[in-house]
Amino acid sequence: MTQIKQVRPRLLAAAVLAALTLPGVAFAQSAKERELEARVAQLEAMVQQLVTQQQQTETVVTEVRTAQAAQPAAPVAGTGAAAPIQTTTITPTANPGTKFTVGGMIRTDAMVTKTTDGDIAKGTAGRDFYVPGAIPVGGNAPDTYSDAHLKFSRLWFDASTVLDSGDKLGARVELDFFGGALGNSAATNTYGATLRHAYLTYNNWLVGQTWSNFMDTNALLDAVDFVGPTDGVAFVRQPQLRYTSGPWVVSLESPETTVQPFGGGARVIAGDNSAIPDVIARYTHKGDWGHVSFAGMARQLKYEPVIGNDNTDTGFGAQVSGLVKLGDSTDIRYQVSGGEGIGRYIGLATVQQDVIADGAGNINALGGWAGYFGLRQVFTPKVRGNLFYSRSQWDNDTAWTGLGVTRKVHSVHANMIWSPVPKLDFGVEAIWGERTLESGADGELMRLHTMARYSF
């Protein structure tokens, strides 16, 4: 605007000078004066038009600057205040404030195994981790073989919300790849995804599939093998309804009965479940020294060898488990379970069954006990080791089962685990295991198991 005002007198002076210097023009001639005045008026109109346009431009610029000032300041490079990658939640249909997280691990297992009485069948679980019920007994000769896989790699998703009312909601889905083979070990080594956990939580309630309440996960051993003390550990995931109140946890869990048929044949999973869920209660006492936990279970066992011919029995179990700290770098972990009709809950249901059946299909709950004891030592912040023993023993009625069923299994494990950086573990574990039948025949397993794992 100021520039236009300065241009105006210069234009007028130039116009006058141009008129006065035209050839043959006399300063006193009135006709020429009138023509000059007309040109000056025309030039003034042009200048006024330019002034008006400049004023309009300045008004628009002022409005734009005012609008920009009302917006948040753009982040300055290098200040860490960068704009978010996305401006909306990745769970748009969830409750406001829902927190969504994802994690998992990549795990490689490789092992060399020697068995004294033949080999474990290829493609079975016993080739992937220690399964005492799979130790061959009475085979032709010793055999040595190696295996490697990534089936225990894992992926999980969590969602959690605290509502304005204070109510807490949560959900979890977790998968691994311990499903059936979708290829072959000669070329693709592909396997199906397997559902591990899928549950929702509402305040103190849990509904869905997760670890059984008869399993003390806080007392599990730090093993390189996927399970470790498989002979004597309670290890079950299944659908359930659970309520937690302080140190008490009570659950109703999916009933399932496994049967040792008459004469000692392959196990049978009863096709018709009990109408009553397994009832489990647990009490845990915690302190600076560790924890101790007590659990009890009551079950209805059911077998229907012929449709319409139901046979039932009652099962029960008790358990004590815990962890005791011996200073800052040493602890002891243990678990002992006993009862009748608890076979499905011990050793991934691979060692013994819940009931044994006679020739008519009548069933009796099978009694037995199982447990483990382990010592964990942290040598440095990056190196730790574990030594543990595990065992289970069963009271078979050989008149019903014959002499070819398992009477006991036990094993000794020693491992070292190195963690060069957080969340990265390299481990090696030496395993000796033995399975003994009611006939007295036995078979042994010797294994060197290695593992590399990155958790994220």
Side-chain angles (χ1 to χ4, degrees), residues 220-241:
L220 289 178
L221 295 170
D222 190 7
V224 171
D225 179 85
F226 177 63
V227 178
T230 317
D231 320 76
V233 68
F235 196 100
V236 175
R237 290 190 303 266
Q238 61 189 3
Q240 60 193 269
L241 171 64

Tab-separated table of all heavy atoms in Angstrom, residues 220-241:
chain	number	residue	atom	x	y	z
A	220	LEU	N	6.857	-72.955	37.413
A	220	LEU	CA	7.449	-73.682	36.300
A	220	LEU	C	8.959	-73.498	36.281
A	220	LEU	O	9.476	-72.443	36.656
A	220	LEU	CB	6.851	-73.208	34.975
A	220	LEU	CG	5.402	-73.604	34.714
A	220	LEU	CD1	4.920	-73.013	33.387
A	220	LEU	CD2	5.227	-75.118	34.701
A	221	LEU	N	9.640	-74.521	35.799
A	221	LEU	CA	11.099	-74.485	35.750
A	221	LEU	C	11.593	-73.738	34.517
A	221	LEU	O	10.895	-73.658	33.501
A	221	LEU	CB	11.643	-75.906	35.766
A	221	LEU	CG	11.364	-76.694	37.047
A	221	LEU	CD1	11.724	-78.155	36.874
A	221	LEU	CD2	12.122	-76.096	38.223
A	222	ASP	N	12.786	-73.197	34.619
A	222	ASP	CA	13.430	-72.459	33.533
A	222	ASP	C	14.140	-73.465	32.632
A	222	ASP	O	15.359	-73.660	32.718
A	222	ASP	CB	14.406	-71.449	34.139
A	222	ASP	CG	14.945	-70.460	33.118
A	222	ASP	OD1	14.460	-70.470	31.972
A	222	ASP	OD2	15.850	-69.689	33.485
A	223	ALA	N	13.389	-74.127	31.771
A	223	ALA	CA	13.908	-75.223	30.960
A	223	ALA	C	14.252	-74.747	29.556
A	223	ALA	O	13.683	-73.778	29.049
A	223	ALA	CB	12.895	-76.357	30.892
A	224	VAL	N	15.175	-75.455	28.910
A	224	VAL	CA	15.458	-75.254	27.499
A	224	VAL	C	14.472	-76.062	26.670
A	224	VAL	O	13.931	-75.580	25.671
A	224	VAL	CB	16.907	-75.651	27.172
A	224	VAL	CG1	17.151	-75.661	25.663
A	224	VAL	CG2	17.869	-74.688	27.853
A	225	ASP	N	14.214	-77.299	27.080
A	225	ASP	CA	13.134	-78.081	26.486
A	225	ASP	C	11.827	-77.302	26.627
A	225	ASP	O	11.638	-76.533	27.583
A	225	ASP	CB	13.028	-79.427	27.201
A	225	ASP	CG	11.919	-80.300	26.653
A	225	ASP	OD1	12.160	-81.012	25.664
A	225	ASP	OD2	10.802	-80.250	27.204
A	226	PHE	N	10.905	-77.486	25.701
A	226	PHE	CA	9.665	-76.709	25.691
A	226	PHE	C	8.903	-76.817	27.009
A	226	PHE	O	8.356	-75.828	27.506
A	226	PHE	CB	8.774	-77.178	24.534
A	226	PHE	CG	7.446	-76.485	24.478
A	226	PHE	CD1	7.364	-75.115	24.262
A	226	PHE	CD2	6.271	-77.203	24.641
A	226	PHE	CE1	6.147	-74.483	24.217
A	226	PHE	CE2	5.049	-76.567	24.586
A	226	PHE	CZ	4.976	-75.212	24.373
A	227	VAL	N	8.857	-78.003	27.612
A	227	VAL	CA	8.178	-78.183	28.894
A	227	VAL	C	9.194	-78.398	30.007
A	227	VAL	O	9.148	-77.750	31.050
A	227	VAL	CB	7.179	-79.355	28.841
A	227	VAL	CG1	6.512	-79.553	30.197
A	227	VAL	CG2	6.124	-79.099	27.765
A	228	GLY	N	10.107	-79.337	29.812
A	228	GLY	CA	11.114	-79.633	30.835
A	228	GLY	C	10.724	-80.840	31.661
A	228	GLY	O	10.913	-81.986	31.232
A	229	PRO	N	10.157	-80.624	32.868
A	229	PRO	CA	9.834	-81.746	33.753
A	229	PRO	C	8.511	-82.405	33.376
A	229	PRO	O	7.599	-82.541	34.206
A	229	PRO	CB	9.756	-81.070	35.122
A	229	PRO	CG	9.222	-79.712	34.820
A	229	PRO	CD	9.838	-79.325	33.510
A	230	THR	N	8.385	-82.819	32.126
A	230	THR	CA	7.103	-83.318	31.617
A	230	THR	C	6.597	-84.507	32.416
A	230	THR	O	5.376	-84.694	32.559
A	230	THR	CB	7.250	-83.708	30.134
A	230	THR	OG1	8.005	-82.708	29.464
A	230	THR	CG2	5.891	-83.843	29.480
A	231	ASP	N	7.485	-85.335	32.955
A	231	ASP	CA	7.082	-86.531	33.706
A	231	ASP	C	6.104	-86.186	34.832
A	231	ASP	O	5.156	-86.933	35.092
A	231	ASP	CB	8.293	-87.210	34.351
A	231	ASP	CG	9.510	-87.226	33.464
A	231	ASP	OD1	10.149	-86.159	33.335
A	231	ASP	OD2	9.833	-88.287	32.914
A	232	GLY	N	6.357	-85.052	35.542
A	232	GLY	CA	5.609	-84.807	36.767
A	232	GLY	C	4.865	-83.491	36.844
A	232	GLY	O	4.308	-83.171	37.896
A	233	VAL	N	4.839	-82.707	35.760
A	233	VAL	CA	4.219	-81.384	35.823
A	233	VAL	C	2.747	-81.440	35.410
A	233	VAL	O	2.359	-82.193	34.511
A	233	VAL	CB	4.983	-80.391	34.916
A	233	VAL	CG1	4.822	-80.741	33.448
A	233	VAL	CG2	4.524	-78.961	35.175
A	234	ALA	N	1.910	-80.655	36.104
A	234	ALA	CA	0.539	-80.438	35.647
A	234	ALA	C	0.592	-79.424	34.515
A	234	ALA	O	1.112	-78.320	34.684
A	234	ALA	CB	-0.322	-79.925	36.797
A	235	PHE	N	0.071	-79.798	33.350
A	235	PHE	CA	0.228	-78.969	32.157
A	235	PHE	C	-0.987	-79.163	31.265
A	235	PHE	O	-1.072	-80.118	30.501
A	235	PHE	CB	1.511	-79.381	31.428
A	235	PHE	CG	1.997	-78.391	30.403
A	235	PHE	CD1	3.015	-77.507	30.702
A	235	PHE	CD2	1.430	-78.349	29.134
A	235	PHE	CE1	3.484	-76.607	29.749
A	235	PHE	CE2	1.873	-77.454	28.187
A	235	PHE	CZ	2.909	-76.577	28.488
A	236	VAL	N	-1.955	-78.247	31.370
A	236	VAL	CA	-3.202	-78.345	30.600
A	236	VAL	C	-3.673	-76.940	30.236
A	236	VAL	O	-3.657	-76.042	31.072
A	236	VAL	CB	-4.314	-79.058	31.397
A	236	VAL	CG1	-5.633	-79.036	30.629
A	236	VAL	CG2	-3.925	-80.496	31.710
A	237	ARG	N	-4.107	-76.754	28.989
A	237	ARG	CA	-4.850	-75.563	28.572
A	237	ARG	C	-6.226	-76.014	28.133
A	237	ARG	O	-6.359	-76.960	27.349
A	237	ARG	CB	-4.167	-74.854	27.395
A	237	ARG	CG	-2.874	-74.172	27.716
A	237	ARG	CD	-2.406	-73.305	26.535
A	237	ARG	NE	-2.264	-74.071	25.317
A	237	ARG	CZ	-1.126	-74.618	24.902
A	237	ARG	NH1	-0.029	-74.489	25.630
A	237	ARG	NH2	-1.070	-75.284	23.774
A	238	GLN	N	-7.290	-75.326	28.605
A	238	GLN	CA	-8.633	-75.729	28.237
A	238	GLN	C	-9.635	-74.619	28.543
A	238	GLN	O	-9.355	-73.698	29.306
A	238	GLN	CB	-9.019	-77.004	28.974
A	238	GLN	CG	-9.037	-76.900	30.485
A	238	GLN	CD	-9.220	-78.254	31.145
A	238	GLN	OE1	-9.274	-79.291	30.485
A	238	GLN	NE2	-9.321	-78.270	32.462
A	239	PRO	N	-10.849	-74.693	27.955
A	239	PRO	CA	-11.891	-73.703	28.232
A	239	PRO	C	-12.316	-73.753	29.692
A	239	PRO	O	-12.360	-74.825	30.305
A	239	PRO	CB	-13.032	-74.119	27.307
A	239	PRO	CG	-12.389	-74.926	26.224
A	239	PRO	CD	-11.261	-75.640	26.886
A	240	GLN	N	-12.664	-72.572	30.241
A	240	GLN	CA	-13.021	-72.505	31.652
A	240	GLN	C	-13.725	-71.192	31.989
A	240	GLN	O	-13.655	-70.219	31.232
A	240	GLN	CB	-11.777	-72.637	32.525
A	240	GLN	CG	-10.744	-71.554	32.274
A	240	GLN	CD	-9.402	-71.874	32.903
A	240	GLN	OE1	-9.134	-71.507	34.040
A	240	GLN	NE2	-8.558	-72.590	32.140
A	241	LEU	N	-14.352	-71.196	33.144
A	241	LEU	CA	-14.888	-69.990	33.773
A	241	LEU	C	-14.170	-69.855	35.098
A	241	LEU	O	-14.191	-70.774	35.920
A	241	LEU	CB	-16.398	-70.124	33.991
A	241	LEU	CG	-17.057	-69.027	34.833
A	241	LEU	CD1	-16.965	-67.678	34.142
A	241	LEU	CD2	-18.514	-69.384	35.134
